[in-house]
Amino acid sequence: MPVVEQSVVISRPASEVWDFITTPENWPTWESSIVECDQVTDNPIGVGTRWHGVTRILGKRFDWMTEFTEYQPAKVGTSKSVEGKFGFTATTKLEEVDGGTLFTYRVDSESGLGGVFGKLADPIVTKAYSRTMRASLDNLADLLNTDN
């Protein structure tokens, strides 16, 4: 199972970072592989909340639906795919540190992305997505650090 994990320090309190990242419409503004993202359940966000989105990886578009399996405001959120071409789990963690908030984003995905690229392509896809994630986290930090 390929895993990509990256972290960045954002010079904002964890509560502000959390509010931004738990607004699904904000994801395409900073996460470059996400084309669209919206909440499909009506209740306030929490365990059981579902988000729908579209991701583009190496030129291929993937529709997905996730459901939050863990939700601790301003600390950790974990969502697992419940619909789509491949399975994945995404975890966001926040930790107060000197200078702001350490934001860690981790994605665990099926090998071969469910057969879309094949298992032999795992190292290539993982490396490409790792670069994308690094750039996205830097983009998030720039966006939130300059929005004062």
mmCIF file of all heavy atoms in Angstrom, residues 43-86:
data_model
loop_
_atom_site.group_PDB
_atom_site.id
_atom_site.type_symbol
_atom_site.label_atom_id
_atom_site.label_comp_id
_atom_site.label_asym_id
_atom_site.label_seq_id
_atom_site.Cartn_x
_atom_site.Cartn_y
_atom_site.Cartn_z
ATOM 1 N N ASN A 43 -25.522 17.290 7.883
ATOM 2 C CA ASN A 43 -25.173 17.575 9.278
ATOM 3 C C ASN A 43 -23.847 18.309 9.388
ATOM 4 O O ASN A 43 -23.040 18.272 8.457
ATOM 5 C CB ASN A 43 -25.107 16.268 10.074
ATOM 6 C CG ASN A 43 -26.448 15.549 10.104
ATOM 7 O OD1 ASN A 43 -27.494 16.183 9.949
ATOM 8 N ND2 ASN A 43 -26.422 14.261 10.293
ATOM 9 N N PRO A 44 -23.598 18.938 10.536
ATOM 10 C CA PRO A 44 -22.267 19.527 10.743
ATOM 11 C C PRO A 44 -21.202 18.443 10.610
ATOM 12 O O PRO A 44 -21.451 17.262 10.879
ATOM 13 C CB PRO A 44 -22.326 20.055 12.181
ATOM 14 C CG PRO A 44 -23.782 20.227 12.480
ATOM 15 C CD PRO A 44 -24.493 19.159 11.678
ATOM 16 N N ILE A 45 -20.013 18.844 10.204
ATOM 17 C CA ILE A 45 -18.939 17.890 9.958
ATOM 18 C C ILE A 45 -18.589 17.122 11.232
ATOM 19 O O ILE A 45 -18.549 17.675 12.322
ATOM 20 C CB ILE A 45 -17.711 18.605 9.358
ATOM 21 C CG1 ILE A 45 -16.706 17.585 8.841
ATOM 22 C CG2 ILE A 45 -17.119 19.573 10.326
ATOM 23 C CD1 ILE A 45 -15.604 18.219 8.015
ATOM 24 N N GLY A 46 -18.379 15.821 11.067
ATOM 25 C CA GLY A 46 -18.028 14.930 12.173
ATOM 26 C C GLY A 46 -17.902 13.513 11.638
ATOM 27 O O GLY A 46 -17.939 13.285 10.421
ATOM 28 N N VAL A 47 -17.764 12.548 12.532
ATOM 29 C CA VAL A 47 -17.700 11.146 12.113
ATOM 30 C C VAL A 47 -18.976 10.827 11.337
ATOM 31 O O VAL A 47 -20.080 11.165 11.757
ATOM 32 C CB VAL A 47 -17.538 10.207 13.328
ATOM 33 C CG1 VAL A 47 -17.680 8.742 12.913
ATOM 34 C CG2 VAL A 47 -16.186 10.435 14.004
ATOM 35 N N GLY A 48 -18.819 10.228 10.171
ATOM 36 C CA GLY A 48 -19.947 9.888 9.305
ATOM 37 C C GLY A 48 -20.197 10.900 8.195
ATOM 38 O O GLY A 48 -20.915 10.597 7.247
ATOM 39 N N THR A 49 -19.607 12.096 8.298
ATOM 40 C CA THR A 49 -19.767 13.101 7.248
ATOM 41 C C THR A 49 -19.131 12.586 5.967
ATOM 42 O O THR A 49 -18.052 12.003 5.986
ATOM 43 C CB THR A 49 -19.103 14.434 7.659
ATOM 44 O OG1 THR A 49 -19.768 14.929 8.814
ATOM 45 C CG2 THR A 49 -19.181 15.462 6.540
ATOM 46 N N ARG A 50 -19.803 12.837 4.850
ATOM 47 C CA ARG A 50 -19.278 12.405 3.545
ATOM 48 C C ARG A 50 -18.941 13.593 2.670
ATOM 49 O O ARG A 50 -19.703 14.563 2.614
ATOM 50 C CB ARG A 50 -20.280 11.498 2.836
ATOM 51 C CG ARG A 50 -20.365 10.134 3.486
ATOM 52 C CD ARG A 50 -21.189 9.183 2.668
ATOM 53 N NE ARG A 50 -21.084 7.852 3.254
ATOM 54 C CZ ARG A 50 -21.356 6.746 2.607
ATOM 55 N NH1 ARG A 50 -21.756 6.793 1.338
ATOM 56 N NH2 ARG A 50 -21.232 5.577 3.190
ATOM 57 N N TRP A 51 -17.808 13.464 2.001
ATOM 58 C CA TRP A 51 -17.370 14.439 1.001
ATOM 59 C C TRP A 51 -17.248 13.738 -0.337
ATOM 60 O O TRP A 51 -16.840 12.578 -0.412
ATOM 61 C CB TRP A 51 -16.005 15.023 1.359
ATOM 62 C CG TRP A 51 -16.000 16.031 2.467
ATOM 63 C CD1 TRP A 51 -17.031 16.383 3.290
ATOM 64 C CD2 TRP A 51 -14.879 16.807 2.889
ATOM 65 N NE1 TRP A 51 -16.621 17.329 4.184
ATOM 66 C CE2 TRP A 51 -15.307 17.614 3.961
ATOM 67 C CE3 TRP A 51 -13.559 16.898 2.472
ATOM 68 C CZ2 TRP A 51 -14.455 18.506 4.613
ATOM 69 C CZ3 TRP A 51 -12.719 17.778 3.120
ATOM 70 C CH2 TRP A 51 -13.164 18.580 4.178
ATOM 71 N N HIS A 52 -17.602 14.452 -1.403
ATOM 72 C CA HIS A 52 -17.413 13.972 -2.772
ATOM 73 C C HIS A 52 -16.365 14.864 -3.417
ATOM 74 O O HIS A 52 -16.303 16.072 -3.149
ATOM 75 C CB HIS A 52 -18.715 14.063 -3.574
ATOM 76 C CG HIS A 52 -18.481 13.877 -5.038
ATOM 77 N ND1 HIS A 52 -18.328 14.945 -5.899
ATOM 78 C CD2 HIS A 52 -18.320 12.762 -5.782
ATOM 79 C CE1 HIS A 52 -18.102 14.480 -7.122
ATOM 80 N NE2 HIS A 52 -18.089 13.161 -7.080
ATOM 81 N N GLY A 53 -15.545 14.272 -4.260
ATOM 82 C CA GLY A 53 -14.565 15.084 -4.957
ATOM 83 C C GLY A 53 -14.073 14.437 -6.230
ATOM 84 O O GLY A 53 -14.434 13.305 -6.564
ATOM 85 N N VAL A 54 -13.245 15.206 -6.911
ATOM 86 C CA VAL A 54 -12.575 14.731 -8.113
ATOM 87 C C VAL A 54 -11.104 15.072 -7.958
ATOM 88 O O VAL A 54 -10.746 16.199 -7.614
ATOM 89 C CB VAL A 54 -13.137 15.406 -9.386
ATOM 90 C CG1 VAL A 54 -12.358 14.961 -10.617
ATOM 91 C CG2 VAL A 54 -14.622 15.117 -9.539
ATOM 92 N N THR A 55 -10.258 14.068 -8.182
ATOM 93 C CA THR A 55 -8.811 14.231 -8.095
ATOM 94 C C THR A 55 -8.204 13.907 -9.451
ATOM 95 O O THR A 55 -8.696 13.034 -10.160
ATOM 96 C CB THR A 55 -8.237 13.275 -7.025
ATOM 97 O OG1 THR A 55 -8.794 13.625 -5.760
ATOM 98 C CG2 THR A 55 -6.728 13.353 -6.944
ATOM 99 N N ARG A 56 -7.131 14.622 -9.785
ATOM 100 C CA ARG A 56 -6.392 14.337 -11.016
ATOM 101 C C ARG A 56 -4.978 13.915 -10.608
ATOM 102 O O ARG A 56 -4.258 14.672 -9.969
ATOM 103 C CB ARG A 56 -6.338 15.563 -11.919
ATOM 104 C CG ARG A 56 -5.664 15.276 -13.253
ATOM 105 C CD ARG A 56 -5.544 16.509 -14.124
ATOM 106 N NE ARG A 56 -6.693 17.374 -14.054
ATOM 107 C CZ ARG A 56 -7.656 17.443 -14.967
ATOM 108 N NH1 ARG A 56 -7.599 16.702 -16.041
ATOM 109 N NH2 ARG A 56 -8.664 18.268 -14.831
ATOM 110 N N ILE A 57 -4.612 12.694 -10.999
ATOM 111 C CA ILE A 57 -3.274 12.166 -10.732
ATOM 112 C C ILE A 57 -2.683 11.684 -12.051
ATOM 113 O O ILE A 57 -3.297 10.864 -12.735
ATOM 114 C CB ILE A 57 -3.310 11.006 -9.709
ATOM 115 C CG1 ILE A 57 -3.891 11.485 -8.375
ATOM 116 C CG2 ILE A 57 -1.915 10.424 -9.502
ATOM 117 C CD1 ILE A 57 -4.112 10.376 -7.373
ATOM 118 N N LEU A 58 -1.524 12.210 -12.398
ATOM 119 C CA LEU A 58 -0.837 11.857 -13.642
ATOM 120 C C LEU A 58 -1.784 11.923 -14.846
ATOM 121 O O LEU A 58 -1.791 11.047 -15.701
ATOM 122 C CB LEU A 58 -0.187 10.484 -13.528
ATOM 123 C CG LEU A 58 0.943 10.371 -12.500
ATOM 124 C CD1 LEU A 58 1.427 8.933 -12.387
ATOM 125 C CD2 LEU A 58 2.106 11.291 -12.854
ATOM 126 N N GLY A 59 -2.605 12.974 -14.874
ATOM 127 C CA GLY A 59 -3.490 13.204 -16.017
ATOM 128 C C GLY A 59 -4.798 12.441 -15.995
ATOM 129 O O GLY A 59 -5.641 12.634 -16.866
ATOM 130 N N LYS A 60 -4.996 11.566 -15.014
ATOM 131 C CA LYS A 60 -6.248 10.801 -14.931
ATOM 132 C C LYS A 60 -7.141 11.401 -13.854
ATOM 133 O O LYS A 60 -6.678 11.757 -12.785
ATOM 134 C CB LYS A 60 -5.972 9.336 -14.609
ATOM 135 C CG LYS A 60 -5.284 8.601 -15.740
ATOM 136 C CD LYS A 60 -5.378 7.108 -15.507
ATOM 137 C CE LYS A 60 -4.718 6.356 -16.619
ATOM 138 N NZ LYS A 60 -5.608 6.070 -17.718
ATOM 139 N N ARG A 61 -8.440 11.486 -14.173
ATOM 140 C CA ARG A 61 -9.425 12.008 -13.227
ATOM 141 C C ARG A 61 -10.096 10.859 -12.483
ATOM 142 O O ARG A 61 -10.471 9.857 -13.086
ATOM 143 C CB ARG A 61 -10.502 12.810 -13.961
ATOM 144 C CG ARG A 61 -10.036 14.130 -14.486
ATOM 145 C CD ARG A 61 -11.120 14.814 -15.311
ATOM 146 N NE ARG A 61 -12.364 14.980 -14.598
ATOM 147 C CZ ARG A 61 -12.764 16.125 -14.039
ATOM 148 N NH1 ARG A 61 -12.005 17.182 -14.116
ATOM 149 N NH2 ARG A 61 -13.929 16.194 -13.418
ATOM 150 N N PHE A 62 -10.252 11.063 -11.180
ATOM 151 C CA PHE A 62 -10.890 10.059 -10.332
ATOM 152 C C PHE A 62 -11.966 10.724 -9.484
ATOM 153 O O PHE A 62 -11.682 11.669 -8.752
ATOM 154 C CB PHE A 62 -9.868 9.418 -9.376
ATOM 155 C CG PHE A 62 -8.707 8.782 -10.058
ATOM 156 C CD1 PHE A 62 -7.503 9.461 -10.198
ATOM 157 C CD2 PHE A 62 -8.804 7.497 -10.567
ATOM 158 C CE1 PHE A 62 -6.420 8.877 -10.823
ATOM 159 C CE2 PHE A 62 -7.722 6.907 -11.192
ATOM 160 C CZ PHE A 62 -6.530 7.593 -11.326
ATOM 161 N N ASP A 63 -13.198 10.230 -9.601
ATOM 162 C CA ASP A 63 -14.259 10.650 -8.692
ATOM 163 C C ASP A 63 -14.149 9.804 -7.429
ATOM 164 O O ASP A 63 -13.819 8.615 -7.508
ATOM 165 C CB ASP A 63 -15.633 10.403 -9.328
ATOM 166 C CG ASP A 63 -16.010 11.484 -10.299
ATOM 167 O OD1 ASP A 63 -16.629 12.465 -9.853
ATOM 168 O OD2 ASP A 63 -15.675 11.350 -11.495
ATOM 169 N N TRP A 64 -14.462 10.394 -6.296
ATOM 170 C CA TRP A 64 -14.404 9.658 -5.038
ATOM 171 C C TRP A 64 -15.442 10.183 -4.050
ATOM 172 O O TRP A 64 -15.939 11.291 -4.185
ATOM 173 C CB TRP A 64 -13.011 9.711 -4.417
ATOM 174 C CG TRP A 64 -12.386 11.087 -4.377
ATOM 175 C CD1 TRP A 64 -11.486 11.595 -5.280
ATOM 176 C CD2 TRP A 64 -12.611 12.123 -3.417
ATOM 177 N NE1 TRP A 64 -11.140 12.880 -4.933
ATOM 178 C CE2 TRP A 64 -11.816 13.227 -3.790
ATOM 179 C CE3 TRP A 64 -13.402 12.235 -2.281
ATOM 180 C CZ2 TRP A 64 -11.784 14.417 -3.060
ATOM 181 C CZ3 TRP A 64 -13.381 13.415 -1.548
ATOM 182 C CH2 TRP A 64 -12.578 14.486 -1.943
ATOM 183 N N MET A 65 -15.744 9.343 -3.095
ATOM 184 C CA MET A 65 -16.594 9.718 -1.965
ATOM 185 C C MET A 65 -15.867 9.210 -0.728
ATOM 186 O O MET A 65 -15.431 8.050 -0.682
ATOM 187 C CB MET A 65 -17.967 9.056 -2.065
ATOM 188 C CG MET A 65 -18.878 9.336 -0.892
ATOM 189 S SD MET A 65 -19.877 10.794 -1.088
ATOM 190 C CE MET A 65 -20.822 10.379 -2.533
ATOM 191 N N THR A 66 -15.705 10.089 0.261
ATOM 192 C CA THR A 66 -15.073 9.674 1.510
ATOM 193 C C THR A 66 -16.036 9.881 2.665
ATOM 194 O O THR A 66 -16.985 10.661 2.572
ATOM 195 C CB THR A 66 -13.787 10.476 1.807
ATOM 196 O OG1 THR A 66 -14.109 11.859 1.916
ATOM 197 C CG2 THR A 66 -12.732 10.253 0.749
ATOM 198 N N GLU A 67 -15.744 9.169 3.738
ATOM 199 C CA GLU A 67 -16.515 9.316 4.968
ATOM 200 C C GLU A 67 -15.541 9.470 6.124
ATOM 201 O O GLU A 67 -14.571 8.702 6.229
ATOM 202 C CB GLU A 67 -17.397 8.088 5.190
ATOM 203 C CG GLU A 67 -18.244 8.178 6.440
ATOM 204 C CD GLU A 67 -19.215 7.018 6.546
ATOM 205 O OE1 GLU A 67 -20.046 6.835 5.632
ATOM 206 O OE2 GLU A 67 -19.117 6.290 7.551
ATOM 207 N N PHE A 68 -15.797 10.461 6.971
ATOM 208 C CA PHE A 68 -14.928 10.665 8.129
ATOM 209 C C PHE A 68 -15.112 9.524 9.119
ATOM 210 O O PHE A 68 -16.232 9.209 9.516
ATOM 211 C CB PHE A 68 -15.223 12.005 8.814
ATOM 212 C CG PHE A 68 -14.577 13.167 8.135
ATOM 213 C CD1 PHE A 68 -15.218 13.821 7.102
ATOM 214 C CD2 PHE A 68 -13.303 13.590 8.506
ATOM 215 C CE1 PHE A 68 -14.620 14.893 6.459
ATOM 216 C CE2 PHE A 68 -12.695 14.650 7.868
ATOM 217 C CZ PHE A 68 -13.354 15.310 6.836
ATOM 218 N N THR A 69 -14.008 8.907 9.499
ATOM 219 C CA THR A 69 -14.019 7.827 10.484
ATOM 220 C C THR A 69 -13.442 8.289 11.812
ATOM 221 O O THR A 69 -13.589 7.603 12.829
ATOM 222 C CB THR A 69 -13.210 6.616 9.974
ATOM 223 O OG1 THR A 69 -11.879 7.043 9.695
ATOM 224 C CG2 THR A 69 -13.846 6.021 8.724
ATOM 225 N N GLU A 70 -12.780 9.442 11.789
ATOM 226 C CA GLU A 70 -12.224 10.049 13.003
ATOM 227 C C GLU A 70 -12.320 11.558 12.827
ATOM 228 O O GLU A 70 -12.030 12.095 11.759
ATOM 229 C CB GLU A 70 -10.764 9.622 13.177
ATOM 230 C CG GLU A 70 -10.087 10.200 14.386
ATOM 231 C CD GLU A 70 -8.639 9.730 14.529
ATOM 232 O OE1 GLU A 70 -8.049 9.278 13.524
ATOM 233 O OE2 GLU A 70 -8.114 9.832 15.639
ATOM 234 N N TYR A 71 -12.734 12.238 13.898
ATOM 235 C CA TYR A 71 -12.874 13.689 13.809
ATOM 236 C C TYR A 71 -12.701 14.288 15.199
ATOM 237 O O TYR A 71 -13.576 14.164 16.055
ATOM 238 C CB TYR A 71 -14.245 14.055 13.229
ATOM 239 C CG TYR A 71 -14.367 15.529 12.911
ATOM 240 C CD1 TYR A 71 -13.887 16.029 11.708
ATOM 241 C CD2 TYR A 71 -14.943 16.405 13.820
ATOM 242 C CE1 TYR A 71 -13.993 17.380 11.412
ATOM 243 C CE2 TYR A 71 -15.054 17.748 13.526
ATOM 244 C CZ TYR A 71 -14.571 18.236 12.327
ATOM 245 O OH TYR A 71 -14.670 19.584 12.043
ATOM 246 N N GLN A 72 -11.545 14.889 15.426
ATOM 247 C CA GLN A 72 -11.247 15.573 16.667
ATOM 248 C C GLN A 72 -10.853 17.009 16.304
ATOM 249 O O GLN A 72 -9.724 17.228 15.852
ATOM 250 C CB GLN A 72 -10.104 14.891 17.407
ATOM 251 C CG GLN A 72 -10.398 13.479 17.844
ATOM 252 C CD GLN A 72 -9.164 12.826 18.471
ATOM 253 O OE1 GLN A 72 -8.423 13.474 19.202
ATOM 254 N NE2 GLN A 72 -8.953 11.563 18.173
ATOM 255 N N PRO A 73 -11.777 17.958 16.444
ATOM 256 C CA PRO A 73 -11.530 19.325 15.999
ATOM 257 C C PRO A 73 -10.181 19.893 16.434
ATOM 258 O O PRO A 73 -9.756 19.727 17.586
ATOM 259 C CB PRO A 73 -12.688 20.111 16.622
ATOM 260 C CG PRO A 73 -13.791 19.101 16.725
ATOM 261 C CD PRO A 73 -13.090 17.815 17.076
ATOM 262 N N ALA A 74 -9.524 20.521 15.466
ATOM 263 C CA ALA A 74 -8.216 21.168 15.626
ATOM 264 C C ALA A 74 -7.113 20.190 16.002
ATOM 265 O O ALA A 74 -6.036 20.595 16.425
ATOM 266 C CB ALA A 74 -8.292 22.321 16.622
ATOM 267 N N LYS A 75 -7.364 18.869 15.822
ATOM 268 C CA LYS A 75 -6.340 17.861 16.127
ATOM 269 C C LYS A 75 -6.145 16.874 14.983
ATOM 270 O O LYS A 75 -5.080 16.793 14.418
ATOM 271 C CB LYS A 75 -6.683 17.109 17.412
ATOM 272 C CG LYS A 75 -6.629 17.971 18.637
ATOM 273 C CD LYS A 75 -6.844 17.152 19.879
ATOM 274 C CE LYS A 75 -7.088 18.050 21.035
ATOM 275 N NZ LYS A 75 -6.132 18.267 21.958
ATOM 276 N N VAL A 76 -7.191 16.091 14.665
ATOM 277 C CA VAL A 76 -7.035 15.052 13.650
ATOM 278 C C VAL A 76 -8.368 14.759 12.956
ATOM 279 O O VAL A 76 -9.418 14.783 13.592
ATOM 280 C CB VAL A 76 -6.443 13.753 14.256
ATOM 281 C CG1 VAL A 76 -7.364 13.132 15.283
ATOM 282 C CG2 VAL A 76 -6.067 12.753 13.185
ATOM 283 N N GLY A 77 -8.271 14.514 11.675
ATOM 284 C CA GLY A 77 -9.416 14.065 10.901
ATOM 285 C C GLY A 77 -8.958 12.964 9.962
ATOM 286 O O GLY A 77 -7.930 13.094 9.300
ATOM 287 N N THR A 78 -9.701 11.872 9.938
ATOM 288 C CA THR A 78 -9.382 10.764 9.043
ATOM 289 C C THR A 78 -10.620 10.427 8.237
ATOM 290 O O THR A 78 -11.714 10.308 8.794
ATOM 291 C CB THR A 78 -8.915 9.518 9.829
ATOM 292 O OG1 THR A 78 -7.762 9.859 10.600
ATOM 293 C CG2 THR A 78 -8.579 8.366 8.896
ATOM 294 N N SER A 79 -10.444 10.321 6.938
ATOM 295 C CA SER A 79 -11.549 9.929 6.071
ATOM 296 C C SER A 79 -11.102 8.760 5.201
ATOM 297 O O SER A 79 -9.936 8.659 4.833
ATOM 298 C CB SER A 79 -12.018 11.099 5.206
ATOM 299 O OG SER A 79 -10.978 11.582 4.407
ATOM 300 N N LYS A 80 -12.055 7.903 4.925
ATOM 301 C CA LYS A 80 -11.786 6.691 4.132
ATOM 302 C C LYS A 80 -12.694 6.703 2.918
ATOM 303 O O LYS A 80 -13.860 7.054 3.014
ATOM 304 C CB LYS A 80 -12.052 5.472 5.001
ATOM 305 C CG LYS A 80 -11.721 4.148 4.353
ATOM 306 C CD LYS A 80 -11.884 3.026 5.362
ATOM 307 C CE LYS A 80 -11.668 1.683 4.754
ATOM 308 N NZ LYS A 80 -10.335 1.377 4.355
ATOM 309 N N SER A 81 -12.141 6.310 1.772
ATOM 310 C CA SER A 81 -12.964 6.260 0.568
ATOM 311 C C SER A 81 -14.031 5.179 0.722
ATOM 312 O O SER A 81 -13.763 4.095 1.221
ATOM 313 C CB SER A 81 -12.106 6.002 -0.671
ATOM 314 O OG SER A 81 -11.454 4.757 -0.580
ATOM 315 N N VAL A 82 -15.238 5.524 0.296
ATOM 316 C CA VAL A 82 -16.353 4.580 0.339
ATOM 317 C C VAL A 82 -16.915 4.331 -1.061
ATOM 318 O O VAL A 82 -17.698 3.402 -1.254
ATOM 319 C CB VAL A 82 -17.472 5.041 1.313
ATOM 320 C CG1 VAL A 82 -16.972 5.006 2.744
ATOM 321 C CG2 VAL A 82 -18.005 6.417 0.949
ATOM 322 N N GLU A 83 -16.521 5.182 -2.017
ATOM 323 C CA GLU A 83 -16.889 5.005 -3.424
ATOM 324 C C GLU A 83 -15.750 5.531 -4.271
ATOM 325 O O GLU A 83 -15.093 6.496 -3.903
ATOM 326 C CB GLU A 83 -18.159 5.798 -3.770
ATOM 327 C CG GLU A 83 -19.419 5.283 -3.139
ATOM 328 C CD GLU A 83 -20.641 6.123 -3.512
ATOM 329 O OE1 GLU A 83 -20.627 6.770 -4.583
ATOM 330 O OE2 GLU A 83 -21.596 6.131 -2.728
ATOM 331 N N GLY A 84 -15.527 4.902 -5.416
ATOM 332 C CA GLY A 84 -14.502 5.365 -6.341
ATOM 333 C C GLY A 84 -13.741 4.201 -6.942
ATOM 334 O O GLY A 84 -13.959 3.041 -6.587
ATOM 335 N N LYS A 85 -12.819 4.527 -7.859
ATOM 336 C CA LYS A 85 -12.057 3.505 -8.578
ATOM 337 C C LYS A 85 -10.975 2.852 -7.727
ATOM 338 O O LYS A 85 -10.503 1.783 -8.049
ATOM 339 C CB LYS A 85 -11.406 4.102 -9.829
ATOM 340 C CG LYS A 85 -12.397 4.447 -10.902
ATOM 341 C CD LYS A 85 -11.701 4.918 -12.149
ATOM 342 C CE LYS A 85 -12.712 5.222 -13.229
ATOM 343 N NZ LYS A 85 -12.079 5.641 -14.462
ATOM 344 N N PHE A 86 -10.539 3.540 -6.660
ATOM 345 C CA PHE A 86 -9.514 2.961 -5.800
ATOM 346 C C PHE A 86 -9.751 3.381 -4.362
ATOM 347 O O PHE A 86 -10.384 4.384 -4.087
ATOM 348 C CB PHE A 86 -8.107 3.355 -6.258
ATOM 349 C CG PHE A 86 -7.814 4.825 -6.169
ATOM 350 C CD1 PHE A 86 -7.195 5.351 -5.052
ATOM 351 C CD2 PHE A 86 -8.144 5.676 -7.210
ATOM 352 C CE1 PHE A 86 -6.921 6.700 -4.966
ATOM 353 C CE2 PHE A 86 -7.870 7.029 -7.134
ATOM 354 C CZ PHE A 86 -7.262 7.542 -6.004
#
